[in-house]
Amino acid sequence: MKVLSQNTAFGGMQGVFSHDSDACQGEMTFAVYVPPKATQEPCPVVWYLSGLTCTHANVMEKGEYRRMAAELGLIIVCPDTSPRGNDVPDELTNWKMGKGASFYLDATEKPWAEHYQMYTYITEELPNFIAQHFRVDMDRQGIFGHSMGGHGAMTIALKNPDRFRSCSAFAPIVQPSTADWSAPALEKYLGADRSSWRPYDACTLVEDGARFPEFLIDQGKADSFLEDGLRPWLFEEAIKGTGIGLTLRMHERYDHSYYFISTFMDDHLRWHAERLA
């Protein structure tokens, strides 16, 4: 593990690290905030998945999570949004595909399959790496994210209900298989057979029997992507009669930016802390 930076914040440590990834066939970067409580005992870990065009740095620099994470005793892990490097396939003129736009899936189609194994990276390789190097209680894990990262968090939780105790999302893409800005990426990563898309779509996962106890979703009503890409009401409809709980909060005047995320970050961290206690 390479230490790229370490800074003290609210008595804890904010670090940025990199390591060689077998899953993604290259060097991956991630950020970890370790609260002061971790010097005394293992702490629960909450995974934050960022959105399209982002890296680990967006939430680390603008998400304003450290004060509350220190107070609650939460370790926050912020992975990158895709593999990186000169040999990693990309579409330079398409921000919805390639670097920064992995959709947290395991690609099966060329040229993407060699490097774009982000589901395996997030659910297997990076957790094992974090458990080796940080004082975490891996029996207490939560996951949340924004936009594409909200999609990733919800699908990962639905497929791994025995691992995660809590899940929340800011403005998630709840049905990427039918959204204009995500369906083309799913086809390129996974092929034209739409049945292979279903494990990476929160609504279709629920239709196919996946379950998770409850979700918290915050969504801004002034979000320019609300009608065409996000559509949280589709997930609200999908879970009817399933027993899945949903707290969906729609906020006047809030958009898709980190001003929105930072406003409600404390609420999400408290949500996770209560369920990870």
Side-chain angles (χ1 to χ4, degrees), residues 160-176:
N160 298 274
D162 295 334
R163 179 182 301 183
F164 296 99
R165 294 192 189 180
S166 57
C167 182
S168 68
F170 301 98
I173 309 171
V174 301
Q175 196 177 83

Side-chain angles (χ1 to χ4, degrees), residues 17 22 35 39 128 140 147 167 188 219-220 230 240 242 246:
F17 309 91
D22 291 331
T39 62
N128 290 336
R140 294 187 289 164
S147 193
C167 182
K188 290 177 182 178
Q219 173 65 61
L230 306 174
K240 286 183 178 178
T242 65
L246 174 63

Side-chain angles (χ1 to χ4, degrees), residues 110-132:
K110 294 181 178 180
W112 313 101
E114 180 180 359
H115 295 281
Y116 286 79
Q117 300 295 309
M118 285 295 289
Y119 178 80
T120 295
Y121 177 70
I122 296 294
T123 61
E124 297 180 20
E125 186 176 25
L126 188 56
N128 290 336
F129 197 77
I130 294 295
Q132 293 173 23

Side-chain angles (χ1 to χ4, degrees), residues 49 104 119 122-123 143 152-160 164:
L49 306 184
Y104 300 102
Y119 178 80
I122 296 294
T123 61
I143 189 166
M154 293 175 68
T155 56
I156 287 171
L158 282 163
K159 289 192 282 188
N160 298 274
F164 296 99

Side-chain angles (χ1 to χ4, degrees), residues 16 29-31 50 54-61 65 78-81:
V16 179
T29 300
F30 61 94
S50 291
C54 294
T55 69
H56 68 281
N58 294 75
V59 68
M60 187 181 76
E61 296 171 357
Y65 57 81
C78 308
D80 202 348
T81 51

Side-chain angles (χ1 to χ4, degrees), residues 54-242:
C54 294
T55 69
H56 68 281
N58 294 75
V59 68
M60 187 181 76
E61 296 171 357
K62 298 181 287 187
E64 301 182 22
Y65 57 81
R66 280 171 288 270
R67 180 187 61 80
M68 185 55 64
E71 179 181 321
L72 297 172
L74 299 175
I75 291 174
I76 309 295
V77 179
C78 308
D80 202 348
T81 51
S82 76
R84 307 279 175 176
N86 294 332
D87 59 339
V88 174
D90 193 17
E91 291 188 1
L92 295 177
T93 60
N94 183 6
W95 60 275
K96 303 169 188 175
M97 186 70 197
K99 295 178 186 178
S102 72
F103 284 90
Y104 300 102
L105 51 76
D106 281 349
T108 57
E109 302 299 300
K110 294 181 178 180
W112 313 101
E114 180 180 359
H115 295 281
Y116 286 79
Q117 300 295 309
M118 285 295 289
Y119 178 80
T120 295
Y121 177 70
I122 296 294
T123 61
E124 297 180 20
E125 186 176 25
L126 188 56
N128 290 336
F129 197 77
I130 294 295
Q132 293 173 23
H133 292 277
F134 297 90
R135 203 172 185 185
V136 296
D137 182 349
M138 299 301 281
D139 291 329
R140 294 187 289 164
Q141 296 187 63
I143 189 166
F144 69 146
H146 170 230
S147 193
M148 178 187 74
H151 138 78
M154 293 175 68
T155 56
I156 287 171
L158 282 163
K159 289 192 282 188
N160 298 274
D162 295 334
R163 179 182 301 183
F164 296 99
R165 294 192 189 180
S166 57
C167 182
S168 68
F170 301 98
I173 309 171
V174 301
Q175 196 177 83
S177 62
T178 63
D180 292 342
W181 67 342
S182 50
L186 296 190
E187 182 169 0
K188 290 177 182 178
Y189 286 135
L190 301 171
D193 181 1
R194 290 184 173 240
S195 65
S196 66
W197 305 6
R198 297 182 71 85
Y200 300 106
D201 182 306
C203 290
T204 56
L205 275 168
V206 171
E207 290 174 9
D208 292 342
R211 295 292 182 265
F212 196 78
E214 57 183 336
F215 295 90
L216 167 64
I217 294 177
D218 275 315
Q219 173 65 61
K221 289 186 177 182
D223 191 321
S224 60
F225 302 114
L226 177 58
E227 295 292 335
D228 295 331
L230 306 174
R231 307 170 297 168
W233 50 84
L234 296 180
F235 188 71
E236 190 174 33
E237 182 67 25
I239 65 171
K240 286 183 178 178
T242 65

